[in-house]
Amino acid sequence: MTFANVGVLGTKPGQRDALVAILLRPKTGMKDAGCLLYEVGINDDLPDTVFVSELWESAEAHRASLELDSTRAAIAEAMPLLSGEMGGHRFTVLGSPLR
């Protein structure tokens, strides 16, 4: 079953665009690890918040991606920009009316 992770990342004031830049950089191995979709977004009404929607072949593929060198480097670079306010939802995708 396909796995989805929809996250909300709070940034320190003024750090949103820096976090977006990190998240949008190509990550070696993500596609091969099973990433089907990785979308980064913002809402100007929430200037210190970044939204990330991920779709993976499985929850295991998502977990394994966290061990990739490129993912670990991005996390290390992003951590100082985060406020610690995080949220979101993880769920198993059952289907889509578009497929």
Side-chain angles (χ1 to χ4, degrees):
M1 291 268 204
T2 307
F3 173 77
N5 183 42
V6 180
V8 179
L9 304 170
T11 68
K12 293 178 180 172
Q15 297 299 314
R16 179 185 76 184
D17 292 344
L19 179 60
V20 167
I22 293 167
L23 295 174
L24 289 179
R25 272 191 225 134
K27 308 286 185 296
T28 304
M30 274 183 67
K31 191 171 185 176
D32 291 338
C35 187
L36 305 171
L37 174 94
Y38 191 92
E39 300 290 335
V40 177
I42 60 170
N43 177 335
D44 286 333
D45 293 335
L46 301 166
D48 297 319
T49 305
V50 176
F51 302 89
V52 180
S53 296
E54 304 172 61
L55 194 61
W56 292 86
E57 291 176 357
S58 66
E60 294 78 21
H62 177 259
R63 277 192 294 276
S65 77
L66 298 174
E67 299 303 319
L68 295 171
D69 290 341
S70 59
T71 303
R72 294 172 67 87
I75 291 170
E77 187 178 358
M79 288 301 289
L81 307 176
L82 299 175
S83 67
E85 296 178 36
M86 295 183 209
H89 300 280
R90 296 174 175 200
F91 56 93
T92 299
V93 177
L94 300 178
S96 168
L98 301 176
R99 290 184 267 151

